[in-house]
PDB file of all heavy atoms in Angstrom:
ATOM      1  N   ALA A  87      -8.590  -4.378 -38.894  1.00  0.00           N
ATOM      2  CA  ALA A  87      -7.528  -4.371 -37.884  1.00  0.00           C
ATOM      3  C   ALA A  87      -8.012  -4.926 -36.538  1.00  0.00           C
ATOM      4  O   ALA A  87      -7.774  -4.348 -35.481  1.00  0.00           O
ATOM      5  CB  ALA A  87      -6.939  -2.976 -37.725  1.00  0.00           C
ATOM      6  N   GLY A  88      -8.693  -6.058 -36.595  1.00  0.00           N
ATOM      7  CA  GLY A  88      -9.128  -6.729 -35.369  1.00  0.00           C
ATOM      8  C   GLY A  88     -10.045  -5.885 -34.505  1.00  0.00           C
ATOM      9  O   GLY A  88     -10.088  -6.057 -33.284  1.00  0.00           O
ATOM     10  N   GLY A  89     -10.777  -4.972 -35.133  1.00  0.00           N
ATOM     11  CA  GLY A  89     -11.724  -4.130 -34.392  1.00  0.00           C
ATOM     12  C   GLY A  89     -11.108  -2.842 -33.873  1.00  0.00           C
ATOM     13  O   GLY A  89     -11.812  -1.986 -33.311  1.00  0.00           O
ATOM     14  N   THR A  90      -9.814  -2.642 -34.090  1.00  0.00           N
ATOM     15  CA  THR A  90      -9.163  -1.457 -33.510  1.00  0.00           C
ATOM     16  C   THR A  90      -9.467  -0.176 -34.297  1.00  0.00           C
ATOM     17  O   THR A  90      -9.367   0.918 -33.754  1.00  0.00           O
ATOM     18  CB  THR A  90      -7.635  -1.650 -33.381  1.00  0.00           C
ATOM     19  OG1 THR A  90      -7.087  -1.873 -34.682  1.00  0.00           O
ATOM     20  CG2 THR A  90      -7.296  -2.832 -32.483  1.00  0.00           C
ATOM     21  N   ILE A  91      -9.852  -0.314 -35.568  1.00  0.00           N
ATOM     22  CA  ILE A  91     -10.237   0.887 -36.344  1.00  0.00           C
ATOM     23  C   ILE A  91     -11.515   1.474 -35.742  1.00  0.00           C
ATOM     24  O   ILE A  91     -11.626   2.690 -35.507  1.00  0.00           O
ATOM     25  CB  ILE A  91     -10.423   0.536 -37.840  1.00  0.00           C
ATOM     26  CG1 ILE A  91      -9.050   0.214 -38.454  1.00  0.00           C
ATOM     27  CG2 ILE A  91     -11.113   1.670 -38.595  1.00  0.00           C
ATOM     28  CD1 ILE A  91      -9.095  -0.312 -39.866  1.00  0.00           C
ATOM     29  N   ALA A  92     -12.461   0.590 -35.433  1.00  0.00           N
ATOM     30  CA  ALA A  92     -13.720   1.038 -34.824  1.00  0.00           C
ATOM     31  C   ALA A  92     -13.476   1.650 -33.450  1.00  0.00           C
ATOM     32  O   ALA A  92     -14.023   2.717 -33.119  1.00  0.00           O
ATOM     33  CB  ALA A  92     -14.673  -0.150 -34.707  1.00  0.00           C
ATOM     34  N   ALA A  93     -12.677   0.987 -32.646  1.00  0.00           N
ATOM     35  CA  ALA A  93     -12.439   1.490 -31.283  1.00  0.00           C
ATOM     36  C   ALA A  93     -11.718   2.837 -31.323  1.00  0.00           C
ATOM     37  O   ALA A  93     -11.999   3.728 -30.508  1.00  0.00           O
ATOM     38  CB  ALA A  93     -11.640   0.464 -30.485  1.00  0.00           C
ATOM     39  N   THR A  94     -10.839   3.025 -32.291  1.00  0.00           N
ATOM     40  CA  THR A  94     -10.149   4.310 -32.439  1.00  0.00           C
ATOM     41  C   THR A  94     -11.156   5.410 -32.760  1.00  0.00           C
ATOM     42  O   THR A  94     -11.128   6.510 -32.191  1.00  0.00           O
ATOM     43  CB  THR A  94      -9.081   4.223 -33.559  1.00  0.00           C
ATOM     44  OG1 THR A  94      -8.175   3.186 -33.226  1.00  0.00           O
ATOM     45  CG2 THR A  94      -8.345   5.537 -33.738  1.00  0.00           C
ATOM     46  N   ARG A  95     -12.070   5.074 -33.671  1.00  0.00           N
ATOM     47  CA  ARG A  95     -13.087   6.064 -34.054  1.00  0.00           C
ATOM     48  C   ARG A  95     -13.947   6.460 -32.847  1.00  0.00           C
ATOM     49  O   ARG A  95     -14.245   7.641 -32.646  1.00  0.00           O
ATOM     50  CB  ARG A  95     -13.941   5.475 -35.164  1.00  0.00           C
ATOM     51  CG  ARG A  95     -15.043   6.381 -35.567  1.00  0.00           C
ATOM     52  CD  ARG A  95     -15.364   6.211 -37.008  1.00  0.00           C
ATOM     53  NE  ARG A  95     -16.797   6.386 -37.164  1.00  0.00           N
ATOM     54  CZ  ARG A  95     -17.509   5.890 -38.131  1.00  0.00           C
ATOM     55  NH1 ARG A  95     -16.950   5.156 -39.058  1.00  0.00           N
ATOM     56  NH2 ARG A  95     -18.791   6.116 -38.199  1.00  0.00           N
ATOM     57  N   VAL A  96     -14.318   5.504 -32.048  1.00  0.00           N
ATOM     58  CA  VAL A  96     -15.169   5.811 -30.889  1.00  0.00           C
ATOM     59  C   VAL A  96     -14.378   6.606 -29.837  1.00  0.00           C
ATOM     60  O   VAL A  96     -14.893   7.549 -29.234  1.00  0.00           O
ATOM     61  CB  VAL A  96     -15.772   4.517 -30.299  1.00  0.00           C
ATOM     62  CG1 VAL A  96     -16.575   4.806 -29.045  1.00  0.00           C
ATOM     63  CG2 VAL A  96     -16.660   3.851 -31.346  1.00  0.00           C
ATOM     64  N   ALA A  97     -13.124   6.240 -29.658  1.00  0.00           N
ATOM     65  CA  ALA A  97     -12.293   6.972 -28.687  1.00  0.00           C
ATOM     66  C   ALA A  97     -12.166   8.451 -29.070  1.00  0.00           C
ATOM     67  O   ALA A  97     -12.063   9.327 -28.216  1.00  0.00           O
ATOM     68  CB  ALA A  97     -10.910   6.333 -28.594  1.00  0.00           C
ATOM     69  N   ARG A  98     -12.195   8.727 -30.395  1.00  0.00           N
ATOM     70  CA  ARG A  98     -12.029  10.111 -30.878  1.00  0.00           C
ATOM     71  C   ARG A  98     -13.357  10.828 -31.092  1.00  0.00           C
ATOM     72  O   ARG A  98     -13.393  11.991 -31.496  1.00  0.00           O
ATOM     73  CB  ARG A  98     -11.246  10.105 -32.194  1.00  0.00           C
ATOM     74  CG  ARG A  98      -9.795   9.708 -31.982  1.00  0.00           C
ATOM     75  CD  ARG A  98      -9.059   9.599 -33.299  1.00  0.00           C
ATOM     76  NE  ARG A  98      -7.655   9.253 -33.075  1.00  0.00           N
ATOM     77  CZ  ARG A  98      -6.850   8.765 -33.990  1.00  0.00           C
ATOM     78  NH1 ARG A  98      -7.291   8.568 -35.222  1.00  0.00           N
ATOM     79  NH2 ARG A  98      -5.595   8.481 -33.694  1.00  0.00           N
ATOM     80  N   ILE A 107     -19.741   1.851 -28.372  1.00  0.00           N
ATOM     81  CA  ILE A 107     -19.175   0.702 -29.075  1.00  0.00           C
ATOM     82  C   ILE A 107     -19.497  -0.570 -28.307  1.00  0.00           C
ATOM     83  O   ILE A 107     -19.484  -0.569 -27.073  1.00  0.00           O
ATOM     84  CB  ILE A 107     -17.640   0.851 -29.267  1.00  0.00           C
ATOM     85  CG1 ILE A 107     -17.063  -0.341 -30.051  1.00  0.00           C
ATOM     86  CG2 ILE A 107     -16.899   1.001 -27.938  1.00  0.00           C
ATOM     87  CD1 ILE A 107     -15.631  -0.135 -30.546  1.00  0.00           C
ATOM     88  N   GLY A 112     -10.967  -8.554 -27.257  1.00  0.00           N
ATOM     89  CA  GLY A 112      -9.894  -8.180 -28.174  1.00  0.00           C
ATOM     90  C   GLY A 112      -9.689  -6.677 -28.231  1.00  0.00           C
ATOM     91  O   GLY A 112      -8.626  -6.162 -27.878  1.00  0.00           O
ATOM     92  N   THR A 113     -10.751  -5.950 -28.625  1.00  0.00           N
ATOM     93  CA  THR A 113     -10.618  -4.505 -28.827  1.00  0.00           C
ATOM     94  C   THR A 113     -10.253  -3.766 -27.535  1.00  0.00           C
ATOM     95  O   THR A 113      -9.553  -2.765 -27.569  1.00  0.00           O
ATOM     96  CB  THR A 113     -11.939  -3.896 -29.355  1.00  0.00           C
ATOM     97  OG1 THR A 113     -13.005  -4.271 -28.470  1.00  0.00           O
ATOM     98  CG2 THR A 113     -12.250  -4.370 -30.753  1.00  0.00           C
ATOM     99  N   HIS A 114     -10.748  -4.279 -26.397  1.00  0.00           N
ATOM    100  CA  HIS A 114     -10.562  -3.560 -25.138  1.00  0.00           C
ATOM    101  C   HIS A 114      -9.682  -4.291 -24.133  1.00  0.00           C
ATOM    102  O   HIS A 114      -9.732  -4.004 -22.945  1.00  0.00           O
ATOM    103  CB  HIS A 114     -11.930  -3.180 -24.554  1.00  0.00           C
ATOM    104  CG  HIS A 114     -12.534  -2.026 -25.310  1.00  0.00           C
ATOM    105  ND1 HIS A 114     -13.036  -2.166 -26.583  1.00  0.00           N
ATOM    106  CD2 HIS A 114     -12.639  -0.715 -24.997  1.00  0.00           C
ATOM    107  CE1 HIS A 114     -13.443  -0.990 -27.026  1.00  0.00           C
ATOM    108  NE2 HIS A 114     -13.222  -0.085 -26.080  1.00  0.00           N
ATOM    109  N   ALA A 115      -8.888  -5.248 -24.620  1.00  0.00           N
ATOM    110  CA  ALA A 115      -7.916  -5.908 -23.731  1.00  0.00           C
ATOM    111  C   ALA A 115      -6.721  -6.396 -24.556  1.00  0.00           C
ATOM    112  O   ALA A 115      -5.649  -5.789 -24.516  1.00  0.00           O
ATOM    113  CB  ALA A 115      -8.564  -7.036 -22.949  1.00  0.00           C
ATOM    114  N   ALA A 117      -5.802  -6.185 -27.599  1.00  0.00           N
ATOM    115  CA  ALA A 117      -5.178  -5.261 -28.566  1.00  0.00           C
ATOM    116  C   ALA A 117      -4.060  -4.441 -27.935  1.00  0.00           C
ATOM    117  O   ALA A 117      -3.086  -4.078 -28.611  1.00  0.00           O
ATOM    118  CB  ALA A 117      -6.240  -4.339 -29.155  1.00  0.00           C
ATOM    119  N   VAL A 118      -4.184  -4.164 -26.659  1.00  0.00           N
ATOM    120  CA  VAL A 118      -3.177  -3.325 -25.980  1.00  0.00           C
ATOM    121  C   VAL A 118      -1.793  -3.956 -26.081  1.00  0.00           C
ATOM    122  O   VAL A 118      -0.793  -3.263 -26.299  1.00  0.00           O
ATOM    123  CB  VAL A 118      -3.578  -3.119 -24.498  1.00  0.00           C
ATOM    124  CG1 VAL A 118      -2.505  -2.366 -23.731  1.00  0.00           C
ATOM    125  CG2 VAL A 118      -4.914  -2.394 -24.412  1.00  0.00           C
ATOM    126  N   TYR A 121      -0.798  -4.398 -30.397  1.00  0.00           N
ATOM    127  CA  TYR A 121      -0.583  -3.251 -31.302  1.00  0.00           C
ATOM    128  C   TYR A 121       0.318  -2.254 -30.586  1.00  0.00           C
ATOM    129  O   TYR A 121      -0.140  -1.528 -29.687  1.00  0.00           O
ATOM    130  CB  TYR A 121      -1.918  -2.591 -31.668  1.00  0.00           C
ATOM    131  CG  TYR A 121      -2.789  -3.415 -32.572  1.00  0.00           C
ATOM    132  CD1 TYR A 121      -3.609  -4.417 -32.059  1.00  0.00           C
ATOM    133  CD2 TYR A 121      -2.786  -3.209 -33.956  1.00  0.00           C
ATOM    134  CE1 TYR A 121      -4.414  -5.190 -32.893  1.00  0.00           C
ATOM    135  CE2 TYR A 121      -3.598  -3.977 -34.797  1.00  0.00           C
ATOM    136  CZ  TYR A 121      -4.400  -4.961 -34.255  1.00  0.00           C
ATOM    137  OH  TYR A 121      -5.195  -5.725 -35.084  1.00  0.00           O
ATOM    138  N   ASN A 123       1.435   0.600 -31.375  1.00  0.00           N
ATOM    139  CA  ASN A 123       1.028   2.013 -31.473  1.00  0.00           C
ATOM    140  C   ASN A 123      -0.490   2.167 -31.429  1.00  0.00           C
ATOM    141  O   ASN A 123      -1.065   2.998 -32.144  1.00  0.00           O
ATOM    142  CB  ASN A 123       1.569   2.630 -32.765  1.00  0.00           C
ATOM    143  CG  ASN A 123       3.075   2.599 -32.791  1.00  0.00           C
ATOM    144  OD1 ASN A 123       3.738   2.960 -31.816  1.00  0.00           O
ATOM    145  ND2 ASN A 123       3.649   2.107 -33.886  1.00  0.00           N
ATOM    146  N   LEU A 124      -1.122   1.407 -30.606  1.00  0.00           N
ATOM    147  CA  LEU A 124      -2.586   1.485 -30.507  1.00  0.00           C
ATOM    148  C   LEU A 124      -2.997   2.925 -30.168  1.00  0.00           C
ATOM    149  O   LEU A 124      -2.524   3.489 -29.177  1.00  0.00           O
ATOM    150  CB  LEU A 124      -3.073   0.516 -29.411  1.00  0.00           C
ATOM    151  CG  LEU A 124      -4.564   0.217 -29.375  1.00  0.00           C
ATOM    152  CD1 LEU A 124      -4.986  -0.602 -30.608  1.00  0.00           C
ATOM    153  CD2 LEU A 124      -4.925  -0.549 -28.100  1.00  0.00           C
ATOM    154  N   PRO A 125      -3.856   3.546 -30.998  1.00  0.00           N
ATOM    155  CA  PRO A 125      -4.144   4.983 -30.786  1.00  0.00           C
ATOM    156  C   PRO A 125      -5.142   5.269 -29.656  1.00  0.00           C
ATOM    157  O   PRO A 125      -5.596   6.393 -29.536  1.00  0.00           O
ATOM    158  CB  PRO A 125      -4.718   5.441 -32.126  1.00  0.00           C
ATOM    159  CG  PRO A 125      -4.728   4.273 -33.026  1.00  0.00           C
ATOM    160  CD  PRO A 125      -4.457   3.041 -32.226  1.00  0.00           C
ATOM    161  N   TYR A 126      -5.524   4.286 -28.884  1.00  0.00           N
ATOM    162  CA  TYR A 126      -6.457   4.546 -27.769  1.00  0.00           C
ATOM    163  C   TYR A 126      -6.047   3.707 -26.569  1.00  0.00           C
ATOM    164  O   TYR A 126      -5.330   2.719 -26.691  1.00  0.00           O
ATOM    165  CB  TYR A 126      -7.892   4.211 -28.178  1.00  0.00           C
ATOM    166  CG  TYR A 126      -8.128   2.772 -28.580  1.00  0.00           C
ATOM    167  CD1 TYR A 126      -8.468   1.789 -27.643  1.00  0.00           C
ATOM    168  CD2 TYR A 126      -8.011   2.373 -29.916  1.00  0.00           C
ATOM    169  CE1 TYR A 126      -8.676   0.464 -28.013  1.00  0.00           C
ATOM    170  CE2 TYR A 126      -8.223   1.049 -30.296  1.00  0.00           C
ATOM    171  CZ  TYR A 126      -8.554   0.107 -29.344  1.00  0.00           C
ATOM    172  OH  TYR A 126      -8.766  -1.207 -29.719  1.00  0.00           O
ATOM    173  N   ARG A 127      -6.559   4.154 -25.419  1.00  0.00           N
ATOM    174  CA  ARG A 127      -6.363   3.388 -24.194  1.00  0.00           C
ATOM    175  C   ARG A 127      -7.728   2.940 -23.689  1.00  0.00           C
ATOM    176  O   ARG A 127      -8.573   3.782 -23.347  1.00  0.00           O
ATOM    177  CB  ARG A 127      -5.686   4.259 -23.121  1.00  0.00           C
ATOM    178  CG  ARG A 127      -4.198   4.440 -23.364  1.00  0.00           C
ATOM    179  CD  ARG A 127      -3.531   5.072 -22.186  1.00  0.00           C
ATOM    180  NE  ARG A 127      -3.792   4.328 -20.953  1.00  0.00           N
ATOM    181  CZ  ARG A 127      -3.170   4.556 -19.805  1.00  0.00           C
ATOM    182  NH1 ARG A 127      -2.253   5.503 -19.727  1.00  0.00           N
ATOM    183  NH2 ARG A 127      -3.463   3.853 -18.732  1.00  0.00           N
ATOM    184  N   PRO A 128      -7.954   1.619 -23.656  1.00  0.00           N
ATOM    185  CA  PRO A 128      -9.274   1.145 -23.206  1.00  0.00           C
ATOM    186  C   PRO A 128      -9.639   1.660 -21.817  1.00  0.00           C
ATOM    187  O   PRO A 128     -10.808   1.916 -21.533  1.00  0.00           O
ATOM    188  CB  PRO A 128      -9.122  -0.380 -23.195  1.00  0.00           C
ATOM    189  CG  PRO A 128      -8.039  -0.673 -24.160  1.00  0.00           C
ATOM    190  CD  PRO A 128      -7.089   0.503 -24.081  1.00  0.00           C
ATOM    191  N   ASP A 129      -8.661   1.859 -20.957  1.00  0.00           N
ATOM    192  CA  ASP A 129      -8.992   2.214 -19.566  1.00  0.00           C
ATOM    193  C   ASP A 129      -9.297   3.697 -19.377  1.00  0.00           C
ATOM    194  O   ASP A 129     -10.069   4.050 -18.486  1.00  0.00           O
ATOM    195  CB  ASP A 129      -7.862   1.765 -18.621  1.00  0.00           C
ATOM    196  CG  ASP A 129      -6.505   2.320 -19.000  1.00  0.00           C
ATOM    197  OD1 ASP A 129      -6.343   2.784 -20.156  1.00  0.00           O
ATOM    198  OD2 ASP A 129      -5.592   2.294 -18.158  1.00  0.00           O
ATOM    199  N   THR A 130      -8.750   4.566 -20.210  1.00  0.00           N
ATOM    200  CA  THR A 130      -8.981   5.995 -19.976  1.00  0.00           C
ATOM    201  C   THR A 130      -9.792   6.679 -21.094  1.00  0.00           C
ATOM    202  O   THR A 130     -10.354   7.752 -20.868  1.00  0.00           O
ATOM    203  CB  THR A 130      -7.646   6.758 -19.818  1.00  0.00           C
ATOM    204  OG1 THR A 130      -6.850   6.483 -20.968  1.00  0.00           O
ATOM    205  CG2 THR A 130      -6.921   6.326 -18.555  1.00  0.00           C
ATOM    206  N   ASP A 131      -9.836   6.096 -22.281  1.00  0.00           N
ATOM    207  CA  ASP A 131     -10.557   6.740 -23.389  1.00  0.00           C
ATOM    208  C   ASP A 131     -12.005   6.284 -23.500  1.00  0.00           C
ATOM    209  O   ASP A 131     -12.741   6.736 -24.382  1.00  0.00           O
ATOM    210  CB  ASP A 131      -9.856   6.454 -24.720  1.00  0.00           C
ATOM    211  CG  ASP A 131      -8.527   7.172 -24.820  1.00  0.00           C
ATOM    212  OD1 ASP A 131      -8.351   8.187 -24.129  1.00  0.00           O
ATOM    213  OD2 ASP A 131      -7.654   6.714 -25.580  1.00  0.00           O
ATOM    214  N   PHE A 132     -12.427   5.382 -22.619  1.00  0.00           N
ATOM    215  CA  PHE A 132     -13.798   4.845 -22.677  1.00  0.00           C
ATOM    216  C   PHE A 132     -14.397   4.846 -21.282  1.00  0.00           C
ATOM    217  O   PHE A 132     -13.685   4.751 -20.291  1.00  0.00           O
ATOM    218  CB  PHE A 132     -13.789   3.407 -23.209  1.00  0.00           C
ATOM    219  CG  PHE A 132     -13.320   3.299 -24.624  1.00  0.00           C
ATOM    220  CD1 PHE A 132     -11.963   3.288 -24.922  1.00  0.00           C
ATOM    221  CD2 PHE A 132     -14.231   3.223 -25.664  1.00  0.00           C
ATOM    222  CE1 PHE A 132     -11.518   3.203 -26.243  1.00  0.00           C
ATOM    223  CE2 PHE A 132     -13.797   3.137 -26.979  1.00  0.00           C
ATOM    224  CZ  PHE A 132     -12.439   3.128 -27.269  1.00  0.00           C
TER     225      PHE A 132
END
Side-chain angles (χ1 to χ4, degrees):
T90 60
I91 290 173
T94 302
R95 177 149 145 205
V96 176
R98 291 175 178 162
I107 182 167
T113 54
H114 285 72
V118 175
Y121 290 83
N123 299 313
L124 194 68
Y126 60 88
R127 283 190 54 170
D129 56 343
T130 55
D131 290 336
F132 295 82

